[in-house]
Amino acid sequence: MSTATIHRPQTFAEAAHALAVATAAGQRVRIAGAGTKLGWGSPGDEPDCELRTGGLDRIVEHNAGDMTATLQAGVPLSLAQRTFAAAGQMLALDPPLMLDGAGEPTIGGVVATGDSGPLRHRYGAPRDLVVGITVALSDGTIARAGGKVIKNVAGYDLAKLFAGSFGTLGLILSVNVRLHPLHESSVTALAAARDPAGLTRAAVQLAAAPLEFEALDVAWRAGRGGLLARCAGPEAARRARRAARLMAEAGLTDVDVADPDGQLWERQRAGQRSLERAIVRIAAAPTGLGEVIAATEAAGATLVGRAALGCSYVEVDPAEVANLRRRLPPGSMAIVLDAPAALRAGIDVWGTESERDAAALDLMRRIKARFDPAGTCNPGRFVAGI
């Protein structure tokens, strides 16, 4: 059990001061929001203290007319969505919200881990929706970039650097985000396939269709897969029927149109989390989906993913992670997210050293040295012990 002292700052100044004091004392700091993803990334060094952002929980601004908002890092994502929904808007991030009562993810945690859901197909990842950011660095500096700049770090796009950095560069204090119209309903075309190559061809064809899908997902389990295309907004039903026809023309079977479709997408999101097995997030070319599915089958695993983006989430026995990785197409990246704590020690979360790009690793190390030269923030949690 960790003996780290837990700090819950209520202001930006308190958070920055806590980091500065820890750095001056040579302490290691674990940065966390609600703690729903503490198991993600490498275990890292045992922290001396922990900074939790739960006290930074204000929705500072919601500019409905400009479709932007400023959120402190500790704001629960579900609370932000309810606030925006009252104005007919949404933050287009839909990762799974809860897992076995573990708590609700905060906006800072979602950005820091680059978490997302099916809406990523149309609206992008967290790094694409954050237009400004305020962070605390390990020396106590508060830096801002994007809108309403007070102090900027010249030459760096802070929002994109901190998105997906797992808290290794500093503490996210708040983010400025762009919003989108909230559609009250949606309709989904869906179809089945037993051939990974056929499913891949159909997914590539649907991705090129001018139908403005909210989401285009795939699923695979026990020798059978599916393709789901979600439509919302004007003439959603007509566009979904068109998508269904394209699926049939591509050779898929059991073609249908679901309205309402909420349960379908809840299942897709649920496939991105696991309590008893490992979740491996795979990045590969969309045309390599068939090979990713074949690797999934060989490992006795299941898959959900973003068909047009090449982003897949595979639920697999932790003992089969290495087997899964060996069978993936060249150039793929496979990162372990969820895994039982007792089994994580034997897993290389970020992949083997031979799979890593040496130039990219050198750049990551130099960025870490620039922002956190003392190694205070989440040391060892990122790739290659960064």
Side-chain angles (χ1 to χ4, degrees):
M1 181 179 294
S2 174
T3 58
T5 302
I6 297 178
H7 299 285
R8 294 183 173 86
Q10 304 294 307
T11 67
F12 291 3
E14 287 179 11
H17 178 70
L19 274 179
V21 169
T23 298
Q27 294 182 332
R28 297 156 297 188
V29 178
R30 175 190 288 151
I31 295 172
T36 61
K37 301 180 182 69
L38 285 179
W40 286 22
S42 300
D45 300 338
E46 185 65 25
D48 300 299
C49 60
E50 185 172 295
L51 272 179
R52 293 264 181 149
T53 62
L56 304 174
D57 60 355
R58 291 179 53 225
I59 299 177
V60 180
E61 290 183 85
H62 176 203
N63 300 310
D66 294 334
M67 301 192 74
T68 60
T70 300
L71 310 171
Q72 291 187 342
V75 173
L77 181 58
S78 61
L79 172 62
Q81 297 291 30
R82 290 195 297 272
T83 301
F84 303 145
Q89 298 175 351
M90 68 173 179
L91 175 58
L93 291 174
D94 61 336
L97 290 182
M98 300 182 71
L99 183 64
D100 193 35
E104 296 192 43
T106 60
I107 183 63
V110 170
V111 172
T113 57
D115 200 12
S116 62
L119 288 179
R120 182 174 175 178
H121 168 80
R122 180 168 185 179
Y123 300 101
R127 69 193 303 272
D128 302 303
L129 297 170
V130 175
V131 296
I133 194 168
T134 302
V135 300
L137 304 181
S138 59
D139 64 356
T141 298
I142 294 177
R144 295 176 171 87
K148 302 180 180 178
V149 172
I150 294 176
K151 172 171 180 168
N152 201 355
V153 180
Y156 293 98
D157 186 333
L158 287 186
K160 287 183 169 55
L161 280 178
F162 274 70
S165 67
F166 281 66
T168 56
L169 300 180
L171 171 64
I172 296 175
L173 298 172
S174 70
V175 291
N176 304 334
V177 294
R178 63 165 57 95
L179 306 177
H180 290 86
L182 175 65
H183 301 296
E184 294 183 359
S185 61
S186 60
V187 184
T188 294
L190 64 156
R194 292 191 177 276
D195 173 23
L199 180 58
T200 301
R201 286 193 298 271
V204 170
Q205 291 175 24
L206 264 291
L211 293 174
E212 297 184 354
F213 298 126
E214 294 289 291
L216 181 63
D217 258 29
V218 291
W220 191 273
R221 177 185 295 271
R224 182 177 172 87
L227 181 62
L228 303 89
R230 191 174 200 178
C231 300
E235 300 189 11
R238 181 191 63 79
R239 289 186 285 121
R241 289 193 297 271
R242 173 58 178 155
R245 289 195 296 272
L246 291 176
M247 290 177 182
E249 292 169 4
L252 301 187
T253 62
D254 301 330
V255 179
D256 198 3
V257 174
D259 180 11
D261 61 357
Q263 290 187 348
L264 291 174
W265 295 98
E266 283 299 323
R267 286 200 296 270
Q268 287 297 103
R269 283 187 286 270
Q272 296 179 210
R273 298 287 189 269
S274 180
L275 288 171
E276 299 177 353
R277 309 226 293 171
I279 293 291
V280 181
R281 185 171 66 194
I282 298 170
T287 53
L289 174 62
E291 294 174 82
V292 174
I293 291 174
T296 298
E297 279 279 280
T302 63
L303 174 149
V304 299
R306 317 287 92 88
L309 304 178
C311 178
S312 301
Y313 296 82
V314 174
E315 184 178 7
V316 62
D317 186 318
E320 290 292 323
V321 169
N323 179 32
L324 173 72
R325 280 176 163 153
R326 280 194 300 269
R327 295 173 179 270
L328 292 174
S332 303
M333 294 179 59
I335 299 170
V336 178
L337 301 180
D338 296 327
L343 300 175
R344 290 184 67 86
I347 299 175
D348 189 336
V349 171
W350 299 98
T352 63
E353 190 72 33
S354 62
E355 295 171 327
R356 299 170 186 153
D357 184 312
L361 280 179
D362 179 64
L363 178 59
M364 292 178 198
R365 291 190 177 103
R366 286 190 283 120
I367 290 173
K368 171 70 171 178
R370 168 66 179 85
F371 283 89
D372 182 22
T376 301
C377 302
N378 282 358
R381 191 171 181 187
F382 205 56
V383 61
I386 294 175

